[in-house]
C-alpha cells in the first residue's frame, strides 16, 4: 500500500478514481452523490478535480494491487483571513479494501501536510451515525455538533451531518 500526493491526474487515474467512487457510493457512503451515480458522473467529477488541483486543493490517493483504491482531499480557502484553516473532503476507500487502515492513513497524511504548511484548524463534516463518524472520533477529531436533516444519503434518505475540527498540535 502506497500513499501518493497527486498534483496531476492522468486519464487512467480518472478511471480508477471513478471506479472506486462509484463502488463507495453504491455501498452507501455519503460523499455527496446519490445512488444513480454512474461511472460517467464519477469520471466527470474527477476531471473537474483534475483542473482544480493547485495550492488550495490537494489530493492524496492510496494504491494497492496496482490501482487506486482510496483518496482524500484537503481544500484551503483562498481568502487571506482563511489561510489558517482547511477542510478535509471526499474521503473514500473502495469497499473491497476497507478494514485495512487505509482511511486512517489517508486522513493522517492530509493532517500532517496541512499542519506542515501552516494550517492551524481543520474541519470536516460527515453523515451522522456513519462509519466515517466513528473513524474521525477514533482519530481524535473533536465533534462540534450535528445538523439534522442536512443532506440525502445515496439511497435518498434524509440524514444529519456531524461537524468535526482538529487543531494543529502545539
Amino acid at each position: 500500500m502506497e500513499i501518493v500526493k497527486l498534483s496531476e491526474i492522468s486519464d487512467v487515474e480518472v478511471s480508477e478514481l471513478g471506479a472506486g467512487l462509484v463502488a463507495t457510493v453504491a455501498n452507501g457512503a455519503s460523499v455527496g452523490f446519490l445512488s444513480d451515480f454512474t461511472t460517467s458522473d464519477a469520471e466527470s467529477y474527477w476531471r473537474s478535480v483534475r483542473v482544480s488541483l493547485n495550492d488550495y486543493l490537494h489530493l492524496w490517493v492510496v494504491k494497492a494491487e496496482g490501482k487506486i483504491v482510496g483518496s482524500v482531499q484537503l481544500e484551503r480557502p483562498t481568502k487571506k483571513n482563511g489561510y489558517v484553516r482547511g477542510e478535509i473532503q471526499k474521503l473514500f476507500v473502495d469497499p473491497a479494501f476497507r478494514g485495512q487502515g487505509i482511511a486512517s492513513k489517508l486522513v493522517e497524511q492530509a493532517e500532517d501536510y496541512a499542519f506542515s504548511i501552516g494550517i492551524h484548524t481543520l474541519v470536516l463534516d460527515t453523515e451522522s451515525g456513519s462509519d466515517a463518524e466513528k473513524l474521525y472520533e477514533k482519530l481524535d477529531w473533536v465533534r462540534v455538533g450535528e445538523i439534522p436533516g442536512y443532506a440525502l444519503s445515496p439511497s435518498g434518505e434524509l440524514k444529519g451531518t456531524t461537524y468535526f475540527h482538529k487543531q494543529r498540535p502545539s
Side-chain angles (χ1 to χ4, degrees):
M1 178 175 59
E2 173 188 18
I3 297 178
V4 179
K5 184 175 186 289
L6 297 182
S7 55
E8 297 178 353
I9 305 173
S10 71
D11 289 339
V12 168
E13 291 165 331
V14 163
S15 179
E16 291 175 0
L17 285 160
L21 191 54
V22 166
T24 299
V25 173
N27 198 56
S30 182
V31 286
F33 307 103
L34 299 177
S35 62
D36 62 353
F37 190 61
T38 66
T39 299
S40 177
D41 295 332
E43 290 179 357
S44 177
Y45 168 75
W46 287 112
R47 283 191 293 278
S48 75
V49 170
R50 174 167 54 193
V51 300
S52 299
L53 290 177
N54 57 33
D55 289 340
Y56 302 102
L57 181 63
H58 306 275
L59 171 67
W60 290 265
V61 299
V62 167
K63 294 187 178 191
E65 299 178 11
K67 67 176 185 172
I68 294 173
V69 299
S71 76
V72 70
Q73 296 173 43
L74 168 69
E75 186 168 28
R76 190 175 198 179
T78 57
K79 295 181 175 90
K80 290 191 185 238
N81 73 339
Y83 286 176
V84 296
R85 69 180 182 266
E87 181 177 2
I88 300 293
Q89 346 181 63
K90 298 288 188 268
L91 171 67
F92 88 85
V93 175
D94 186 307
F97 290 86
R98 291 195 183 148
Q100 300 178 35
I102 293 172
S104 295
K105 288 180 173 95
L106 279 165
V107 172
E108 289 166 348
Q109 183 73 39
E111 288 173 12
D112 290 347
Y113 179 80
F115 296 145
S116 78
I117 63 169
I119 290 176
H120 182 266
T121 302
L122 288 170
V123 297
L124 62 81
D125 71 281
T126 192
E127 182 181 293
S128 300
S130 66
D131 289 342
E133 183 178 16
K134 294 174 194 137
L135 169 74
Y136 296 123
E137 289 170 344
K138 182 181 127 193
L139 294 175
D140 297 323
W141 282 72
V142 177
R143 186 180 202 271
V144 176
E146 180 179 341
I147 301 173
Y150 186 79
L152 297 175
S153 70
S155 67
E157 184 180 354
L158 192 58
K159 296 281 192 161
T161 195
T162 301
Y163 281 88
F164 288 90
H165 77 89
K166 194 167 198 178
Q167 304 296 127
R168 182 173 64 200
S170 302

